């Protein structure tokens, strides 16, 4: 067989790349690398720059420099103030040594095993006759990085994710050969004129420079190109969807007259915050524009989004339309219904609840009322409402997203016969960068303030027996004073084999009930029957239960102002944003909230992550930290859809590329240039990738 049996050289099985062969091809298959294309797109994770290494003798003060060496000694000790100092001694050869020092990062000790080869980068200073790096950036090396014959003298070494049986230098050799022999066949969907105008290298050249970088600048420019492409295509898809919406986007004009405004405000026992007023102004403007609203209302937990949503819905009702509020869970739908019911106590607005637990007869009646327009304000779970519900005259749809849904579900509600105004509420602090992507086609209203009197929840990470006991004692004392507590577990069921493994809520419930004989202890989790769950929640809300052992089902929206205590077990198993949401549950009343994060994990980043929660109440910052550590799919909870379209980008690092891609994509679509034949290939690619996912019109 020869290479030319394949029409497209990129389809050539990877075994025919120089230096691969059938055995390595089998190993590569474990990495899902089967063709030359797969191998070329196996982009390096990062790059090692060995071009400018210093020997300790050549170091100077106050300039950033890099040294290479082998870790020969590590120790960690406590200062009298209780901080840890970790120090590592690096053997740089020729009898020269440097030291790296870290404060309050005890986990560094486990990461710097003796015998490992590393680079330290930082500004060194002389200390006790030796060069010392304070908190240097560390890069871990393979023992033989740069030593194999082909790599000798090559200063820039890409680094790949590997599989067992393939060494780093072998991977480098294979990708180098693939790049040299095949990269030029990679087609470029971005037209040459556009590339030149935007100083983008050719894609084939970029792929080559990623695997075989000529200079650091060439590598960076290649990386920029690949990231740009990825983000650009996604933003083009968003721009196309937005255009499709705008195109057919007439919506009813609803005017919130002064009288309507006053009537709505009177329903609330408090003044709106500035943030609420500003968001309401945005919405009022949208509702009277004649174009359908597509707005994202983003604010931290407890900021009072529901108030804003209710306002928008009541404007619709006042103008003779129906409004709907969709919640992500049954529990939340119930809670919203209760809240709204209370607000509307003295009003004639007809509201109905539509959830999965209605009896068939109830359901029939409700659907009928919605069809005839008799039901003015409908609250339910999104799944239920999207199925077979026909509105007589839907004016405003609110989606309480709580970041549980992806992009896709959203499209449907606005594609019915009517063009309702759509408001998406997201309770979670999504960093600006994510906001631009996941919700990139929505207008944004951001509320950064909180209703007055909110207290910051005191948050402590608790490790070890004695502190744990102290935390329990504290909780007991508070319970005795009349407060209530949540105990949150990562699992529903079970005792794990290992003693320190996570335990299920059922086991914890039994133990806590035994340990707190003077208090009523309830259990709630997602595998319980809905009605059962609602009964338990009601009892907790009414104060009959003092302690509620639960899973994360309480994460969203549950509102019990007297519950001010929370213990999270195995806290490191939760996402940071999730924990932040959870503790939002205990920031609601007039008593100080206390959140104890129990964690015995010795994983290096566990302490670091939980520390973010101790040190800040800023949900945006927390989401950023979470995002850096876990990647976007996990943070958004979209991983299960497999739809996070950003495989290579680290958004916190590459925020400016994202901004650029977004600007360029929207301007390309708005100018009409994207519809010219020059961009046909790129458009085809965008539709292939995102068309179905985002419900884009196939003609673009
Ligand atoms: P979110 O949905 O943003 O987490 P909610 O809308 O559920 O927040 O509001 C949280 C709590 O704050 C509710 O109990 C609500 O009644 C109260 N609240 C909302 N807005 C105000 C305000 N302007 N002044 C006082 N309390 C408010
Ligand atoms: Mg809410």
């Amino acid at each position: 067989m020869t290479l030319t049996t394949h029409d497209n050289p990129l389809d050539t099985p990877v075994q025919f790349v120089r230096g691969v062969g059938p055995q390595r091809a089998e190993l590569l298959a474990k990495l899902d690398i089967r063709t030359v294309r797969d191998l070329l797109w196996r982009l390096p994770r990062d790059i090692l720059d060995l071009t400018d290494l210093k020997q300790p003798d050549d170091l100077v003060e106050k300039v950033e420099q890099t040294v290479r060496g082998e870790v020969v000694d590590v120790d960690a000790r406590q200062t009298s103030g209780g901080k840890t100092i970790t120090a590592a001694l690096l053997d740089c050869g020729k009898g020269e040594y440097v030291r790296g020092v870290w404060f309050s990062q005890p986990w560094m000790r486990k990461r710097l095993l003796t015998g490992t080869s590393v680079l330290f980068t930082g500004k060194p200073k002389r200390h006790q006759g030796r060069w010392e790096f304070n908190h240097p950036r560390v890069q871990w090396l393979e023992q033989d990085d740069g030593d194999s014959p082909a790599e000798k003298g090559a200063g820039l070494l890409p680094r790949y994710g590997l599989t067992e049986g393939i060494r780093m230098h072998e991977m480098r050799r294979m990708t180098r050969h693939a790049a040299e022999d095949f990269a030029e066949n990679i087609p470029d969907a971005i037209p040459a004129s556009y590339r030149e105008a935007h100083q983008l290298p050719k894609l084939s050249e970029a792929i080559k420079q990623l695997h075989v970088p000529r200079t650091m600048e060439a590598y960076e420019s290649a990386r920029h190109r690949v990231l740009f492409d990825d983000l650009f295509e996604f933003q083009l898809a968003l721009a196309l969807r937005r255009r499709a919406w705008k195109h057919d986007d007439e919506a009813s004009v609803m005017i919130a007259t002064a009288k309507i405004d006053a009537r709505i405000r009177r329903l609330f026992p408090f003044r709106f915050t500035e943030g609420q007023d500003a968001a309401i102004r945005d919405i009022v403007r949208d509702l009277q524009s004649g174009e359908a609203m597509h707005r994202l209302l983003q604010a931290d937990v407890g900021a009072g989004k529901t108030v804003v949503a209710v306002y928008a819905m009541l404007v619709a009702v006042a103008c003779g339309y129906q409004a709907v509020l969709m919640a992500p869970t049954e529990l939340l739908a119930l809670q919203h219904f209760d809240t709204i019911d209370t607000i509307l106590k003295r009003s004639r607005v007809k509201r109905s609840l539509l959830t999965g637990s209605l009896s068939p007869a109830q359901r029939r009646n409700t659907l009928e009322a919605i069809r005839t327009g008799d039901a003015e304000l409908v609250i339910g779970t999104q799944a239920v409402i999207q199925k077979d519900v026909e509105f007589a005259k839907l004016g405003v749809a609110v989606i309480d997203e709580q970041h549980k849904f992806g992009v896709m579900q959203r499209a449907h509600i606005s594609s019915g016969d009517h063009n309702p105004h759509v408001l998406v509420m997201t309770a979670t602090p999504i960093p600006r960068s994510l906001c631009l992507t996941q919700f990139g086609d929505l207008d944004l209203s951001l509320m950064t303030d909180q209703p007055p009197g909110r207290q910051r929840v005191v948050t402590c990470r608790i490790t070890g027996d004695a502190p744990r006991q102290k935390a329990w004692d504290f909780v007991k004392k508070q319970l005795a004073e009349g407060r209530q507590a949540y105990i949150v577990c990562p699992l529903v069921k079970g005792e794990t084999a290992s003693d320190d493994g996570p335990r299920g809520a059922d086991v914890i419930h039994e133990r806590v009930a035994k340990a707190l004989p003077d208090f009523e202890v309830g259990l709630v989790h997602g595998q319980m029957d809905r009605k059962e769950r609602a009964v338990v929640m009601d009892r907790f809300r009414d104060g009959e239960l003092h302690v509620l052992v639960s899973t994360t089902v309480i994460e969203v929206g549950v509102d019990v102002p007297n519950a001010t205590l929370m213990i999270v077990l195995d806290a490191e198993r939760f996402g940071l944003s999730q924990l932040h949401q959870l503790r939002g549950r205990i920031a609601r009343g007039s008593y100080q909230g206390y959140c104890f994060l129990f964690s015995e994990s010795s994983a290096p980043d566990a302490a670091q992550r939980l520390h973010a929660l101790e040190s800040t109440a800023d949900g945006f910052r927390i989401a950023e930290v979470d995002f850096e550590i876990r990647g976007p799919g996990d943070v958004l909870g979209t991983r299960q859809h497999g739809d996070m379209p950003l495989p290579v980008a680290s958004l916190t690092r590459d925020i400016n590329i994202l901004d650029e891609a977004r600007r360029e994509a929207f301007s390309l679509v708005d100018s009409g240039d994207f519809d010219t034949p020059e961009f046909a290939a790129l458009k085809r690619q965008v539709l292939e990738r995102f068309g179905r996912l985002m419900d884009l019109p196939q003609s673009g």
Side-chain angles (χ1 to χ4, degrees):
M1 205 190 296
T2 63
L3 296 184
T4 50
T5 52
H6 296 273
D7 289 346
N8 184 340
L10 298 174
D11 290 328
T12 309
V14 72
Q15 77 170 91
F16 299 113
V17 171
R18 272 190 293 143
V20 177
Q23 268 162 18
R24 289 208 183 87
E26 253 174 59
L27 293 172
L28 287 172
K30 287 191 200 161
L31 295 169
D32 275 328
I33 297 172
R34 297 192 166 76
T35 64
V36 166
R37 180 183 294 101
D38 298 339
L39 184 57
L40 287 172
W41 278 100
R42 188 72 187 188
L43 303 179
R45 277 186 285 123
D46 62 0
I47 187 161
L48 276 181
D49 184 355
L50 306 180
T51 47
D52 196 19
L53 296 186
K54 294 275 185 285
Q55 272 304 121
D57 263 359
D58 307 327
L59 287 172
V60 290
E61 285 215 17
K62 292 187 188 147
V63 179
E64 183 163 287
Q65 297 149 98
T66 303
V67 295
R68 173 179 185 161
E70 187 185 314
V71 179
V72 286
D73 186 40
V74 198
D75 79 332
R77 58 191 168 80
Q78 301 282 123
T79 64
S80 51
K83 292 215 162 105
T84 47
I85 299 182
T86 311
L89 192 65
L90 215 58
D91 179 350
C92 301
K94 303 182 189 160
E96 297 178 48
Y97 295 84
V98 300
R99 192 167 26 220
V101 177
W102 294 264
F103 298 96
S104 298
Q105 298 192 356
W107 58 88
M108 285 308 292
R109 182 183 184 150
K110 294 214 170 84
R111 302 180 67 183
L112 289 166
L113 301 175
T114 51
T116 43
S117 276
V118 295
L119 302 182
F120 281 177
T121 304
K123 297 177 182 171
K125 58 176 199 284
R126 293 297 282 184
H127 183 70
Q128 295 175 343
R130 196 162 268 158
W131 285 106
E132 189 170 287
F133 287 77
N134 238 326
H135 289 245
R137 187 162 73 88
V138 183
Q139 287 173 284
W140 280 261
L141 306 184
E142 305 292 316
Q143 205 72 49
D144 58 352
D145 267 338
D147 288 344
S148 79
E151 288 173 6
K152 266 272 182 282
L156 298 172
L157 299 177
R159 300 208 287 178
Y160 300 89
L162 296 177
T163 184
E164 204 164 319
I166 297 183
R167 307 274 297 274
M168 190 63 84
H169 68 89
E170 294 176 305
M171 189 71 180
R172 284 187 192 125
R173 196 181 57 224
M174 293 188 284
T175 52
R176 189 177 70 241
H177 288 160
E180 285 166 357
D181 298 350
F182 293 93
E184 67 196 46
N185 296 298
I186 294 173
D188 202 324
I190 298 188
S193 58
Y194 193 86
R195 282 201 313 264
E196 275 155 33
H198 294 81
Q199 293 167 347
L200 297 166
K202 211 170 154 187
L203 185 58
S204 53
E205 184 58 22
I207 296 292
K208 205 165 169 178
Q209 288 303 320
L210 285 170
H211 293 301
V212 197
R214 203 169 359 91
T215 59
M216 209 54 199
E217 289 72 46
Y219 173 84
E220 285 301 340
S221 149
R223 182 172 176 280
H224 176 271
R225 165 71 209 253
V226 171
L227 289 191
F228 179 80
D229 275 20
D230 193 43
L231 297 164
F232 190 46
E233 286 176 18
F234 184 51
Q235 294 296 333
L236 282 166
L238 289 173
L240 287 178
R241 181 166 70 173
R242 187 176 178 110
R243 185 168 73 179
W245 276 1
K246 285 262 184 239
H247 198 66
D248 170 30
D249 219 24
E250 262 179 51
S252 320
V253 174
M254 301 174 193
I255 297 178
T257 60
K259 200 165 141 202
I260 292 176
D261 177 75
R263 258 186 11 228
I264 298 176
R265 283 175 195 265
R266 259 207 309 275
L267 295 169
F268 296 90
F270 42 69
R271 290 172 61 95
F272 295 172
T273 63
E274 269 173 44
Q276 285 169 328
D277 274 331
I280 285 171
R281 275 198 300 279
D282 291 343
I283 290 167
V284 165
R285 207 178 327 107
D286 291 349
L287 295 181
Q288 65 187 25
S289 72
E291 254 180 33
M293 165 169 77
H294 304 289
R295 183 167 294 280
L296 177 69
L297 175 61
Q298 182 187 345
D300 208 346
V301 202
K305 291 177 293 295
T306 315
V307 170
V308 176
V310 171
Y311 185 101
M313 293 193 290
L314 290 178
V315 171
V317 173
C319 295
Y321 295 88
Q322 292 167 293
V324 61
L325 171 60
M326 292 177 278
T329 66
E330 179 114 6
L331 198 65
L332 247 195
L334 275 171
Q335 171 131 10
H336 276 315
F337 187 75
D338 281 354
T339 308
I340 289 171
D341 217 38
T342 314
I343 295 169
L344 297 180
K345 227 171 18 233
R346 288 170 293 133
S347 107
R348 289 187 310 267
V349 174
K350 283 177 258 152
R351 51 262 187 200
S352 348
L353 177 67
L354 184 63
T355 63
S357 50
L358 294 185
S359 73
Q362 284 171 320
R363 182 176 168 79
R364 242 190 339 269
N365 287 340
T366 308
L367 288 179
E368 184 60 21
I370 296 174
R371 196 159 29 239
T372 59
D374 222 26
E376 294 169 305
L377 218 158
V378 182
I379 294 140
T381 46
Q382 188 172 37
V384 173
I385 287 172
Q386 282 192 348
K387 246 185 261 158
D388 54 352
V389 183
E390 243 179 78
F391 284 87
K393 216 178 162 194
L394 182 58
V396 167
V398 179
I399 305 176
D400 189 358
E401 166 144 318
Q402 305 281 0
H403 92 153
K404 285 283 186 276
F405 303 122
V407 189
M408 299 117 274
Q409 282 95 334
R410 254 197 5 246
H412 291 137
I413 184 70
S414 35
S415 59
D417 296 348
H418 300 267
N419 247 345
H421 296 280
V422 178
L423 179 68
V424 182
M425 297 194 282
T426 179
T428 322
I430 296 170
R432 190 177 72 105
S433 46
L434 285 182
C435 193
L436 282 174
T437 54
Q438 188 80 350
F439 301 103
D441 51 354
L442 301 180
D443 296 318
L444 179 67
S445 292
L446 194 70
M447 303 199 299
T448 51
D449 51 3
Q450 294 265 334
R454 260 314 126 65
Q455 306 222 20
R456 180 166 164 173
V457 174
V458 174
T459 305
C460 299
R461 185 172 73 95
I462 304 281
T463 306
D465 288 340
R468 228 173 19 226
Q469 193 51 51
K470 252 167 94 179
W472 277 114
D473 289 344
F474 180 83
V475 168
K476 262 190 256 181
K477 199 169 130 254
Q478 292 267 315
L479 285 171
E481 285 172 18
R483 305 286 83 73
Q484 289 166 282
Y486 297 101
I487 297 174
V488 185
C489 316
L491 304 173
V492 173
K493 285 207 163 84
E495 184 97 53
T496 38
S498 79
D499 212 26
D500 53 352
R503 272 161 284 263
D506 56 346
V507 178
I508 296 297
H509 173 242
E510 268 175 43
R511 291 196 194 167
V512 173
K514 248 188 231 140
L516 301 174
D518 299 336
F519 301 102
E520 289 299 317
V521 183
L523 172 67
V524 66
H525 57 71
Q527 287 175 21
M528 278 163 68
D529 180 62
R530 287 200 202 89
K531 289 203 182 109
E532 251 182 292
R533 212 158 65 191
V535 169
V536 179
M537 285 312 304
D538 279 347
R539 291 187 63 206
F540 187 65
R541 199 169 329 169
D542 295 343
E544 286 171 40
L545 296 175
H546 307 110
V547 179
L548 190 62
V549 176
S550 79
T551 55
T552 53
V553 290
I554 61 150
E555 173 185 351
V556 277
V558 175
D559 208 352
V560 182
N562 188 48
T564 55
L565 302 159
M566 179 174 287
I567 290 182
V568 183
L569 301 173
D570 306 300
E572 74 284 349
R573 299 172 65 95
F574 296 86
L576 292 190
S577 292
Q578 202 176 19
L579 290 171
H580 182 63
Q581 287 242 17
L582 280 168
R583 77 174 163 180
R585 301 302 115 225
I586 54 169
R588 304 239 144 180
S590 47
Y591 297 101
Q592 175 65 53
Y594 297 93
C595 177
F596 300 104
L597 305 170
F598 284 17
S599 171
E600 300 301 319
S601 167
S602 55
D605 58 10
Q608 188 191 1
R609 292 176 60 225
L610 295 180
H611 179 66
L613 282 164
E614 290 177 305
S615 59
T616 177
D618 177 353
F620 285 73
R621 180 61 208 134
I622 288 166
E624 291 266 359
V625 174
D626 215 7
F627 180 73
E628 271 165 41
I629 298 174
R630 300 200 312 160
D634 278 347
V635 174
L636 283 170
T638 52
R639 173 151 296 174
Q640 64 272 31
H641 302 294
D643 68 343
M644 195 60 201
L646 304 171
V648 284
S650 148
L651 288 189
T652 36
R653 187 155 55 117
D654 298 314
I655 179 77
N656 47 354
I657 306 183
L658 174 62
D659 282 341
E660 176 194 352
R662 178 177 175 79
R663 225 175 26 248
E664 296 298 339
F666 276 73
S667 102
L668 188 60
V669 167
D670 290 345
S671 69
D673 288 353
F674 193 50
D675 303 310
T676 61
E678 232 195 331
F679 285 95
L682 184 57
K683 191 189 253 180
R684 210 176 318 117
Q685 204 156 305
V686 169
L687 290 177
E688 245 166 52
R689 234 177 119 189
F690 300 110
R692 280 248 311 278
L693 190 71
M694 294 195 192
D695 234 356
L696 296 177
Q698 282 308 302
S699 61

